[in-house]
Amino acid sequence: MAFSFDIKHAESGSLARVGTITTPHGQIQTPAFIPVGTKATVKSVLPEAMADLGAQALLANAYHLYLQPGADILDEAGGLGEFMNWPGPTFTDSGGFQVLSLGVGFKKVLAMDAKTFRRDDVIADNKERLAHVDDEGVTFKSHLDGSMHRFTPEVSMQVQHQIGADIIFAFDECTTLHNTRPYQVLAMDRTYAWAMRCLDEHKRLTDERSAKPYQALFGVIQGAQYEDLRKKAAGDLGQMQSSGMSFDGFGIGGALDKGALGTIVSWVNQILPENKPKHLLGIGAPEDLFVGVENGIDTFDCVLASRIARTSAVYTMEGRFNLSNSGFKRDFTAIDDECDCYTCTHYTRAYMHHVFRGKEIISATLATIHNERFIVRLVDQMRQALLDGNFKEMKADFLGRYKHRSGQASD
Amino acid sequence: MAFSFDIKHAESGSLARVGTITTPHGQIQTPAFIPVGTKATVKSVLPEAMADLGAQALLANAYHLYLQPGADILDEAGGLGEFMNWPGPTFTDSGGFQVLSLGVGFKKVLAMDAKTFRRDDVIADNKERLAHVDDEGVTFKSHLDGSMHRFTPEVSMQVQHQIGADIIFAFDECTTLHNTRPYQVLAMDRTYAWAMRCLDEHKRLTDERSAKPYQALFGVIQGAQYEDLRKKAAGDLGQMQSSGMSFDGFGIGGALDKGALGTIVSWVNQILPENKPKHLLGIGAPEDLFVGVENGIDTFDCVLASRIARTSAVYTMEGRFNLSNSGFKRDFTAIDDECDCYTCTHYTRAYMHHVFRGKEIISATLATIHNERFIVRLVDQMRQALLDGNFKEMKADFLGRYKHRSGQASD
């Protein structure tokens, strides 16, 4: 089984640690930020540029690749990495988040901020949703052509085996903070039953496709903002065994109230087996990465860095700003003079302003390279700080300078 | 004066030759195809990738850069090459084509095919045009914000000096094949007077900015499809001297009936001074490049390769096709198995089909790299064939295999 996780250093007095994940396509030094390439491409950036900026692995979306080009195409191509020209480790999510986020009926993505709480009934009735959940799985409508599809735990495993990433996730029911507690309990029970079915199907597919590289399966911990539910889910999935297999690692997912992120992650990671890697799904704002690392998260993925790049927003050590603002028209300095990325070492803010104003494709490429480098390097610096024994100082230094401007989305 | 042109080999019995253009930013081995980076970026491709695929120089558009970000910004940045991170030679056109092509009032670009001839009056009346020509210059409306601007020969020289490319073009009145002969005569006379004013202003600016690298000025030969007009223009501009300067090279431009391309170019190049480089403006379809080379053209520029790439159309030795066609969904071969470009050596048609269908930005990047490589290499191969003495065979081999499918635009 070509998958392992070795802890090289564990911080005393916290859950933070430094380790190495080994996959059939290479190693990941953790903690690590894993950039997202939803449809088997990090939007606007060539894979070599992602390697140059320090990306150790990439994460793609099973839902999107299932719909287009189809998981069978990736299987024929020799798997996700071969298809997209990325020789290193890869992840795919289960599709659970995507098929269900379509269904809430009022937001493109699941709400992640308890302050935006509204009444439970803002969630569309089941009959109005684009996704319908039952105990067996989820029926959903394609966002591409309106065609109807059904994901079950077994389908998700089959799709993810065809896509062939090194690390895949169990199919879970992803709720939102808007759901009632009784619904969260119901969804957690379903997620438990689905996790068991995922382990079974994963075992069957691993045996059936034994000539293929081993794919590690991570269980996904739900439970929203409820301590008892999160702890129960962590205890149940952490110990779960079926068909002689247990989970190779864990994802912390679902409704994560950003104000309580550290608390929720710590509830879960205190209970999950210490020696297995923990992935925080879909979280990637700078301040949240610190919270994750100090509470035992080993890997992160998030579209934030690349999504905001395409709107001209860039991270710097002094905070985030928009390159399309007219003040940058004659600014011949780098985006961030402390950054070592390709963009900062070759282009000025004036050039970036010009290509954003001109709607030139290269604006997305250059800004994405910068933002992904910023986030990858920030987590790399946390790893080094843990090894050097000065994580707290490094965090204080960073947050003292970095201004997350009010009014800007943090996820 | 850091500009020169050396002829290394002249074909006997034809106007074709092999040479070297030397500029302050490096050499260009000719004949050569010069990719276009309209707004100081080859759309969707990083400059290092353009160098990797063999581009020796890039051409940007003075009209676009004048409007946004403004030529003064490029001057402050240290010139076009420094601004866009391209260390090699650069060209800018004069803006004449762009400001006038806006004015014809019925097509985005000037008609280049005599078969589409309609009555003279299909050209919008002067009062309906976006550009108004008089003997002194052109008044035109910005396509960006509707603001009014005026280019004269002097303004074009000033703008191009601020942009700072190694090779710049005289400001000419670019007509279309729809114009009447009397109008072509009038425009040619204006272009003659403007050429003289360009030489004067170029001399003044070169002296005033003597600390800057020398910029070579190319005169532009107009005359549409009329032999006497083309020959007169070539004779006049070829011998023109003013303020102690003459043109460093020549552009063949304006209304070029594609069916008579070789004839028109040969009229001009038989008369222009042999020892100066000749640039064919805006021509770049494979079959036209052969016609240009055998009639004495040294350099070409054209947006065709990159523009069609963004619509999924790619060149191969067997002809042109569209990667978004469903037949490529499971085609795990390269776009062109004879191509050595980054795209063909790392990606399959199936992947390209996927990213085009998914509207992923990387589709433009990868297809543009392939098409630009195809055209750059084709002209490189012509250069080698001239040196090897087998240009005719090479041309026959290529055109025997390459199928320019009917119904596809050739420019």
Side-chain angles (χ1 to χ4, degrees):
Chain A
M1 193 179 290
F3 180 84
S4 63
F5 179 57
D6 301 302
I7 298 172
K8 286 157 63 180
H9 166 79
E11 193 82 342
S12 66
S14 99
L15 291 163
R17 69 268 190 89
V18 174
T20 304
I21 295 172
T22 300
T23 80
H25 290 90
Q27 294 190 328
I28 303 165
Q29 306 305 324
T30 65
F33 178 77
I34 314 301
V36 177
T38 298
K39 293 187 277 181
T41 158
V42 177
K43 289 185 192 305
S44 80
V45 180
L46 292 175
E48 288 81 357
M50 293 307 299
D52 284 349
L53 68 82
Q56 301 184 68
L58 300 179
L59 180 143
N61 290 93
Y63 162 82
H64 290 86
L65 293 173
Y66 159 81
L67 288 179
Q68 200 262 318
D72 56 322
I73 302 279
L74 281 96
D75 202 15
E76 274 189 63
L80 173 63
E82 186 74 19
F83 185 59
M84 72 187 288
N85 184 35
W86 174 258
T90 48
F91 295 60
T92 43
D93 66 0
S94 69
F97 177 82
Q98 279 76 24
V99 300
L100 284 154
S101 62
L102 290 173
V104 295
F106 62 97
K107 274 207 170 192
K108 192 178 170 203
V109 294
L110 299 177
M112 288 292 189
D113 181 357
K115 288 175 295 202
T116 65
F117 256 14
R118 297 195 288 172
R119 330 186 291 287
D120 287 341
D121 63 4
V122 296
I123 300 174
D125 285 339
N126 207 37
K127 65 179 175 357
E128 293 167 6
R129 294 185 191 183
L130 291 172
H132 304 264
V133 189
D134 58 54
D135 287 346
E136 289 302 303
V138 184
T139 302
F140 61 96
K141 193 176 270 192
S142 162
H143 74 285
L144 294 177
D145 63 4
S147 57
M148 296 305 298
H149 299 265
R150 185 163 170 83
F151 262 33
T152 61
E154 290 77 15
V155 169
S156 174
M157 289 298 100
Q158 290 155 14
V159 165
Q160 289 189 82
H161 271 260
Q162 284 195 308
I163 295 173
D166 296 303
I167 294 173
I168 66 178
F169 288 91
F171 189 68
D172 58 320
E173 179 172 0
C174 188
T175 58
T176 87
L177 293 173
H178 298 261
N179 287 109
T180 59
R181 183 183 157 98
Y183 194 87
Q184 304 285 3
V185 173
L186 175 69
M188 199 182 68
D189 290 345
R190 264 188 199 136
T191 295
Y192 177 85
W194 291 0
M196 194 71 86
R197 287 163 57 189
C198 283
L199 271 180
D200 288 344
E201 184 66 4
H202 178 60
K203 172 70 164 70
R204 189 185 73 76
L205 290 164
T206 301
D207 291 346
E208 183 179 292
R209 297 163 58 93
S210 59
K212 304 269 182 183
Y214 179 73
Q215 298 179 260
L217 178 60
F218 282 28
V220 178
I221 309 301
Q222 295 285 353
Q225 70 273 41
Y226 301 105
E227 183 172 1
D228 57 334
L229 302 189
R230 285 283 181 186
K231 285 185 169 172
K232 181 169 191 319
D236 288 349
L237 270 67
Q239 299 308 316
M240 183 177 281
Q241 295 217 355
S242 187
S243 312
M245 298 190 89
S246 56
F247 287 114
D248 297 298
F250 298 92
I252 323 292
L256 284 163
D257 177 1
K258 293 295 275 297
L261 182 65
T263 307
I264 293 169
V265 171
S266 101
W267 292 335
V268 169
N269 283 345
Q270 282 171 39
I271 288 175
L272 286 172
E274 188 185 346
N275 64 343
K276 301 227 169 153
K278 318 293 186 329
H279 182 91
L280 187 55
L281 286 150
I283 296 292
E287 54 273 38
D288 296 330
L289 296 167
F290 283 99
V291 172
V293 166
E294 66 196 0
N295 287 291
I297 295 298
D298 303 300
T299 51
F300 301 86
D301 78 275
C302 192
V303 298
L304 184 62
S306 54
R307 179 175 288 163
I308 68 168
R310 295 194 299 280
T311 69
S312 95
V314 285
Y315 296 119
T316 75
M317 291 300 286
E318 305 295 333
R320 199 173 126 170
F321 61 77
N322 287 296
L323 288 164
S324 54
N325 291 347
S326 59
F328 298 114
K329 191 171 178 183
R330 292 171 190 279
D331 185 340
F332 297 101
T333 64
I335 295 173
D336 184 347
D337 60 13
E338 297 174 47
C339 182
D340 61 0
C341 83
Y342 167 77
T343 304
C344 286
T345 53
H346 292 82
Y347 298 88
T348 61
R349 292 174 177 189
Y351 184 76
M352 294 300 298
H353 176 80
H354 164 63
V355 288
F356 270 110
R357 292 291 287 252
K359 297 183 171 49
E360 284 289 340
I361 291 173
I362 204 172
S363 62
T365 307
L366 293 175
T368 303
I369 286 173
H370 170 75
N371 278 357
E372 293 284 4
R373 174 63 188 152
F374 186 89
I375 297 294
V376 162
R377 189 171 70 146
L378 184 60
V379 180
D380 288 352
Q381 288 169 335
M382 293 183 205
R383 182 169 72 245
Q384 191 58 47
L386 288 171
L387 290 172
D388 294 345
N390 60 6
F391 179 81
K392 280 197 174 63
E393 295 86 334
M394 182 249 160
K395 176 184 172 185
D397 284 350
F398 179 84
L399 295 178
R401 294 182 62 196
Y402 183 83
K403 292 169 265 313
H404 191 80
R405 314 279 168 85
S406 66
Q408 293 182 327
S410 61
D411 64 336
Chain B
M1 193 179 291
F3 179 83
S4 63
F5 178 57
D6 301 302
I7 298 172
K8 287 156 63 180
H9 167 79
E11 194 82 341
S12 66
S14 98
L15 292 163
R17 69 266 190 90
V18 174
T20 303
I21 295 172
T22 300
T23 79
H25 292 89
Q27 294 190 328
I28 304 165
Q29 306 305 325
T30 65
F33 178 78
I34 314 300
V36 177
T38 299
K39 292 187 279 180
T41 157
V42 176
K43 289 186 192 302
S44 80
V45 180
L46 293 176
E48 289 81 357
M50 293 307 299
D52 284 349
L53 68 81
Q56 301 184 68
L58 300 179
L59 180 145
N61 291 92
Y63 163 81
H64 290 87
L65 293 173
Y66 159 81
L67 289 179
Q68 200 262 317
D72 57 320
I73 302 278
L74 280 96
D75 202 15
E76 274 190 62
L80 174 63
E82 185 75 18
F83 185 59
M84 72 187 289
N85 184 35
W86 173 259
T90 49
F91 295 61
T92 44
D93 65 2
S94 69
F97 177 81
Q98 279 76 23
V99 301
L100 284 154
S101 61
L102 289 173
V104 294
F106 63 98
K107 275 210 169 188
K108 194 179 171 202
V109 294
L110 300 177
M112 288 292 189
D113 181 356
K115 288 176 295 202
T116 65
F117 256 16
R118 296 194 288 170
R119 335 186 286 289
D120 288 341
D121 64 4
V122 296
I123 300 173
D125 284 341
N126 207 37
K127 66 180 176 353
E128 294 165 6
R129 293 186 192 182
L130 292 172
H132 305 264
V133 189
D134 57 55
D135 286 346
E136 289 303 303
V138 184
T139 302
F140 60 97
K141 192 177 269 192
S142 162
H143 74 285
L144 295 178
D145 62 6
S147 57
M148 295 306 297
H149 299 264
R150 184 163 171 82
F151 262 32
T152 61
E154 290 76 17
V155 169
S156 174
M157 289 297 101
Q158 290 155 15
V159 164
Q160 290 188 84
H161 271 261
Q162 284 195 308
I163 295 173
D166 296 303
I167 294 172
I168 67 178
F169 288 90
F171 190 66
D172 57 322
E173 179 172 1
C174 189
T175 58
T176 86
L177 293 175
H178 298 261
N179 288 109
T180 58
R181 182 182 160 99
Y183 193 86
Q184 304 286 4
V185 173
L186 175 70
M188 198 181 68
D189 290 344
R190 263 187 200 139
T191 295
Y192 177 86
W194 292 0
M196 194 71 86
R197 287 164 57 190
C198 284
L199 270 181
D200 287 344
E201 183 67 4
H202 178 60
K203 172 73 164 68
R204 190 185 73 75
L205 291 164
T206 300
D207 290 346
E208 184 180 291
R209 296 163 59 92
S210 60
K212 305 269 181 184
Y214 180 73
Q215 298 179 258
L217 177 61
F218 282 27
V220 178
I221 309 301
Q222 296 285 353
Q225 70 274 40
Y226 301 104
E227 182 172 1
D228 58 333
L229 302 189
R230 285 282 181 187
K231 287 185 168 173
K232 182 171 191 321
D236 288 348
L237 271 66
Q239 299 308 316
M240 184 177 282
Q241 295 216 355
S242 188
S243 310
M245 299 190 88
S246 56
F247 288 113
D248 297 297
F250 299 92
I252 323 291
L256 284 163
D257 177 0
K258 294 293 275 299
L261 181 65
T263 306
I264 294 169
V265 170
S266 101
W267 291 335
V268 168
N269 284 344
Q270 282 171 41
I271 289 175
L272 286 172
E274 188 186 345
N275 63 343
K276 301 225 169 154
K278 319 293 185 334
H279 182 90
L280 187 54
L281 286 150
I283 296 291
E287 54 274 38
D288 296 331
L289 295 167
F290 283 99
V291 172
V293 165
E294 65 197 0
N295 287 291
I297 294 298
D298 304 300
T299 51
F300 301 86
D301 78 276
C302 193
V303 298
L304 184 63
S306 54
R307 180 175 288 162
I308 68 170
R310 296 193 298 280
T311 69
S312 95
V314 285
Y315 296 119
T316 74
M317 291 300 287
E318 305 296 332
R320 198 174 126 172
F321 60 78
N322 287 297
L323 288 164
S324 54
N325 291 348
S326 60
F328 298 114
K329 191 171 177 183
R330 293 171 190 279
D331 185 339
F332 297 102
T333 64
I335 295 173
D336 184 347
D337 60 13
E338 295 174 49
C339 182
D340 60 359
C341 83
Y342 167 77
T343 304
C344 286
T345 53
H346 292 83
Y347 298 88
T348 61
R349 293 173 176 189
Y351 183 77
M352 294 300 297
H353 176 81
H354 164 63
V355 288
F356 270 111
R357 293 292 288 251
K359 298 183 170 52
E360 284 288 340
I361 291 172
I362 204 172
S363 62
T365 307
L366 294 175
T368 303
I369 287 173
H370 170 76
N371 278 357
E372 293 284 3
R373 173 63 187 152
F374 185 90
I375 297 295
V376 162
R377 189 171 70 146
L378 185 60
V379 180
D380 288 352
Q381 288 168 337
M382 292 182 207
R383 182 170 71 244
Q384 191 57 47
L386 289 171
L387 290 173
D388 295 345
N390 59 6
F391 179 81
K392 281 198 173 63
E393 295 84 334
M394 183 250 161
K395 177 184 171 185
D397 284 350
F398 178 85
L399 294 179
R401 293 182 63 195
Y402 183 83
K403 292 169 265 314
H404 191 81
R405 314 280 168 85
S406 67
Q408 294 182 328
S410 61
D411 62 338

